[in-house]
């Protein structure tokens, strides 16, 4: 399916171009927002986990630069039966795991079964899957109970990822991190670094690199991911050239980065949207009317202005996907977005039986814009008569705490604009927030079962309408993201989950 994604990513200013071939060798130092909670990408939806682990593990499919699904460990796109219920997947030959063993269909079947058991997106697909089986040593067959259009996109995603690991290493809690990726884990020192080194037996795809797809080159000897939780520290480190790539910087640092001789800013425009996710299972937010009252109180524009400052870095927009995405629709938005009516919200909350119990907002300062939005939201909620308990924790703790229904009422996160709406985590009832209503099931199931691209666009409008009607989460607006790239770093394309297998350091 072709999706209009021309504006997904743009470099803020032209990075240097090089006529010479990329150099081999060297160590790339990447500053991240913190310590990942796990290195098992099946069991986490945290972007930080995906950024690191996509270098270690691989999936059957991935996304090209136009966000089309493209084969990775699979030889080609799946053969799909006429009724849309049988997917036949041919595997590439000669693929080795980091432990030296060969990848076969046995490993793929075991991995996909682990995925539907443990991964939130695997669980999302599991209700549609009848069986996963090996037809022969290099062929896997997935049989569905009914057509399920998002399947290949789910298999391609690096978040809650359907990674392929050896059949003998399928424990629920991963202790050996053995993948097929271009880099392998050498050492992890908690809160210091994650060290990846080149896998000498890696077999890249032939042809040109193409987004996350195509050939993955191994120019670097080593990649080190270093947690730098404080945003201001990341900015100063970027300006001084301490790191080769610095992720997730406050937008107000853009001019400072531009003036640096050691580094340059990278702007992803538009990157995605901040989102407040409600706990619909327990606590005050279990009540739909309380959720609506909270939404009624909030001024999205003030939250965006506090988080991003200039309108160069944000846009007020209630559509889950903005124009020109083909998914863009205003269904359900009118009267439910940026209402900014604390007085009306106070009346609505009282009518809904709000008892004064604190609304626990779970956030982190490692993404500084999350924290700034939380501060503004807290003031509007207090003006509406809500008690507010701000819980500020590190990102790893937040991703763990949000899985416990007893610990929070709202958590703050963000998402890039994903190529397939079914990839949005909150659409799955197993995702923290636990949205599980008849409207969710009816609209999401109809959207997922439809194969016709034009019909799916109309059905997505029904899903968005259900999101606004049930209020499982609130989109705050659109935003652009800033990172920093060393002037010595070559081969890094702007991407929501930066990857470094094609990167090199000029000496």
């Amino acid at each position: 399916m072709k999706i209009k994604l021309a504006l997904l990513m743009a470099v803020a200013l032209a990075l240097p171009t090089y006529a010479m071939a990329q150099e081999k060798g060297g160590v790339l130092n990447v500053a991240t927002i913190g310590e990942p909670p796990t290195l098992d990408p099946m069991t986490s939806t945290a972007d930080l986990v995906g950024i690191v682990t996509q270098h270690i593990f691989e999936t059957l499919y991935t996304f090209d630069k136009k966000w089309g699904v493209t084969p990775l460990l699979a030889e080609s796109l799946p053969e799909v039966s006429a009724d849309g219920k049988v997917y036949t997947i041919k595997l590439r030959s000669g693929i080795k795991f980091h432990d030296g063993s060969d990848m076969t269909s046995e490993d793929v079947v075991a991995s996909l079964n682990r995925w539907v058991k443990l991964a939130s997106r695997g669980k999302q697909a599991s209700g549609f899957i009848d069986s996963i089986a090996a037809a022969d040593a290099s062929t896997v067959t997935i049989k569905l109970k009914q057509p399920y259009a998002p399947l290949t996109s789910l298999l391609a995603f690096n978040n809650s990822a359907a990674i392929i690991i050896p059949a003998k290493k399928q424990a629920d809690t991963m202790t050996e991190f053995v993948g097929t990726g271009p880099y392998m884990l050498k050492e992890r020192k908690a809160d210091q670094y994650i060290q990846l080194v080149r896998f000498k037996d890696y077999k890249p795809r032939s042809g040109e690199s193409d987004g996350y797809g195509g050939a993955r080159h191994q120019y670097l000897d080593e990649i080190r991911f270093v947690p730098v939780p404080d945003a201001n520290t990341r900015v100063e480190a970027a300006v001084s050239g301490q790191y080769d790539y610095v992720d997730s910087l406050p937008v107000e640092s853009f001019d400072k980065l531009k003036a640096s001789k050691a580094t340059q800013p990278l702007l992803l425009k538009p990157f995605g949207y901040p989102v407040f996710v409600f706990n619909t299972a327990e606590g005050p937010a279990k009540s739909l009317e309380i959720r609506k009252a909270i939404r009624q109180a909030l001024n999205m524009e003030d939250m965006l202005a506090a988080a991003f400052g200039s309108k160069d870095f944000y846009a007020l927009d209630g559509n889950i996907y903005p124009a020109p995405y083909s998914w863009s629709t205003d269904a359900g938005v009118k009267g439910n977005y940026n209402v900014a009516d604390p007085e009306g919200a106070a009346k609505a909350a009282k009518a809904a039986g709000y008892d004064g119990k604190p609304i626990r907002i779970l956030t982190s300062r490692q993404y500084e814009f999350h924290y700034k939005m939380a501060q503004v939201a807290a003031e509007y909620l207090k003006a509406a008569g809500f008690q507010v308990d701000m819980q500020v924790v590190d990102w790893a703790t937040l991703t763990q705490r949000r899985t416990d229904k007893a610990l929070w009422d709202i958590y703050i996160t963000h998402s890039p604009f994903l190529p397939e709406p079914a990839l949005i985590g909150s659409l799955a009832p197993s995702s923290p927030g636990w949205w599980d209503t008849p409207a969710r099931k009816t609209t999401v199931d109809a959207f997922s079962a439809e194969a016709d691209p034009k019909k799916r666009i109309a059905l997505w409008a029904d899903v968005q309408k259900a999101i606004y009607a049930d209020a499982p989460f609130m989109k705050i607006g659109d935003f652009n993201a800033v990172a920093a790239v060393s002037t010595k770093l070559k081969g890094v394309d702007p991407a929501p989950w930066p990857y470094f297998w094609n990167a090199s350091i000029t000496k």
Side-chain angles (χ1 to χ4, degrees):
M1 180 173 57
K2 300 291 185 183
I3 303 175
K4 297 176 183 176
L5 293 171
L7 297 182
L8 178 68
M9 297 182 292
V11 186
L13 56 125
L15 296 177
T17 57
Y18 299 81
M20 59 185 288
Q22 286 179 249
E23 297 180 39
K24 251 196 157 177
V27 177
L28 176 72
N29 289 288
V30 180
T32 65
I33 62 102
E35 181 76 11
T38 178
L39 291 183
D40 180 356
M42 267 197 202
T43 61
S44 177
T45 58
D47 287 344
L48 177 57
V49 174
I51 289 169
V52 175
T53 61
Q54 65 187 342
H55 299 83
I56 305 170
F57 304 103
E58 295 181 314
T59 46
L60 293 171
Y61 303 100
T62 188
F63 294 104
D64 62 25
K65 62 186 176 184
K66 294 183 179 179
W67 293 100
V69 175
T70 190
L72 184 54
L73 290 176
E75 181 62 42
S76 56
L77 291 175
E79 296 175 15
V80 183
S81 62
D83 63 3
K85 294 182 181 181
V86 181
Y87 284 59
T88 302
I89 300 170
K90 295 287 186 181
L91 305 177
R92 290 170 62 203
S93 62
I95 302 297
K96 286 190 176 294
F97 289 109
H98 297 158
D99 64 3
S101 61
D102 295 314
M103 184 192 77
T104 70
S105 58
E106 179 189 4
D107 304 299
V108 174
V109 170
S111 297
L112 295 183
N113 281 325
R114 184 178 187 266
W115 179 64
V116 298
K117 176 185 175 184
L118 298 180
S120 62
R121 289 186 172 85
K123 293 176 184 176
Q124 187 177 336
S126 65
F128 295 87
I129 295 173
D130 187 39
S131 65
I132 303 169
D136 56 46
S138 60
T139 309
V140 172
T141 301
I142 301 176
K143 293 183 178 179
L144 303 178
K145 299 172 184 175
Q146 64 185 75
Y148 185 56
L151 181 61
T152 51
S153 292
L154 287 166
L155 292 173
F157 203 27
N158 72 357
N159 180 298
S160 187
I163 57 167
I164 306 306
I165 57 179
K168 295 179 180 179
K169 301 182 187 297
Q170 297 285 330
D172 287 0
T173 301
M174 186 181 286
T175 55
E176 294 182 75
F177 302 92
V178 177
T180 60
Y183 291 86
M184 54 191 290
L185 179 66
K186 181 176 181 181
E187 185 177 23
R188 179 183 187 181
K189 285 196 172 183
D191 300 315
Q192 293 185 51
Y193 60 81
I194 295 168
Q195 180 188 19
L196 308 184
V197 295
R198 186 190 291 118
F199 175 41
K200 63 181 179 61
D201 290 327
Y202 181 68
K203 184 179 180 181
R205 294 192 71 89
S206 58
E208 298 295 318
S209 300
D210 187 3
Y212 294 91
R216 294 183 170 187
H217 300 291
Q218 298 170 287
Y219 299 117
L220 300 164
D221 292 331
E222 184 180 317
I223 306 171
R224 285 197 178 210
F225 294 94
V226 182
V228 185
D230 182 76
N232 292 326
T233 304
R234 288 201 301 279
V235 172
E236 294 307 317
V239 171
S240 68
Q242 183 178 351
Y243 297 99
D244 303 297
Y245 189 97
V246 184
D247 196 28
S248 191
L249 294 171
V251 293
E252 58 266 26
S253 69
F254 186 85
D255 289 339
K256 191 173 185 178
L257 294 167
K258 197 172 179 180
S260 169
K261 293 181 180 179
T263 191
Q264 288 291 282
L266 200 64
L267 185 71
L268 284 75
K269 179 181 181 181
F271 175 83
Y273 57 99
V275 61
F276 282 28
V277 180
F278 285 113
N279 180 348
T280 68
E282 292 186 14
K286 182 178 181 179
S287 163
L288 172 59
E289 297 309 316
I290 295 294
R291 297 199 299 273
K292 287 183 174 180
I294 290 171
R295 185 174 65 188
Q296 182 178 351
L298 296 181
N299 187 315
M300 308 303 191
E301 188 161 20
D302 282 359
M303 291 161 66
L304 291 166
F308 302 107
S310 167
K311 288 187 177 180
D312 290 340
F313 299 106
Y314 75 86
L316 191 68
D317 185 5
N319 299 3
I320 303 298
Y321 284 85
Y325 289 80
S326 62
W327 301 114
S328 185
T329 173
D330 62 3
V333 174
K334 188 173 182 181
N336 292 316
Y337 175 77
N338 195 39
V339 181
D341 178 15
E343 290 184 6
K347 293 176 183 176
K350 185 177 180 181
Y354 174 62
D355 60 4
K357 197 170 182 179
I359 304 298
R360 297 161 296 174
I361 300 178
L362 187 58
T363 191
S364 172
R365 295 199 73 162
Q366 283 164 265
Y367 292 109
E368 187 70 11
F369 67 98
H370 291 189
Y371 176 70
K372 290 177 178 178
M373 288 188 299
Q375 288 181 304
V376 174
E379 294 308 310
Y380 274 94
L381 292 178
K382 289 172 186 175
F386 289 100
Q387 298 295 313
V388 177
D389 176 13
M390 281 268 285
Q391 299 185 358
V392 185
V393 298
D394 64 85
W395 187 247
T397 299
L398 184 148
T399 61
Q400 292 166 351
R401 192 174 290 184
R402 69 185 177 186
T403 63
D404 189 331
K405 298 175 182 178
L407 296 181
W408 60 278
D409 302 303
I410 296 171
Y411 83 83
I412 301 176
T413 185
H414 65 272
S415 173
F417 294 112
L418 301 170
E420 159 61 60
L423 296 173
I424 297 172
S426 292
L427 299 188
S430 60
S431 179
W434 304 283
W435 180 33
D436 193 9
T437 65
R440 186 214 67 83
K441 181 170 177 53
T442 299
T443 57
V444 173
D445 284 2
F447 172 70
S448 299
E450 180 55 61
D452 184 288
K454 291 183 179 179
K455 291 179 181 177
R456 294 191 82 224
I457 288 171
L459 289 168
W460 169 246
D462 293 339
V463 176
Q464 182 174 291
K465 193 180 296 184
I467 290 168
Y468 273 99
D470 283 355
F473 61 86
M474 299 179 292
K475 179 188 174 183
I476 309 304
D478 304 334
F479 79 100
N480 306 329
V482 175
V485 180
S486 165
T487 53
K488 295 180 179 179
L489 181 59
K490 181 183 176 185
V492 174
D493 294 323
W497 305 280
Y499 54 92
F500 306 103
W501 46 75
N502 292 330
S504 63
I505 301 288
T506 57
K507 299 180 178 65

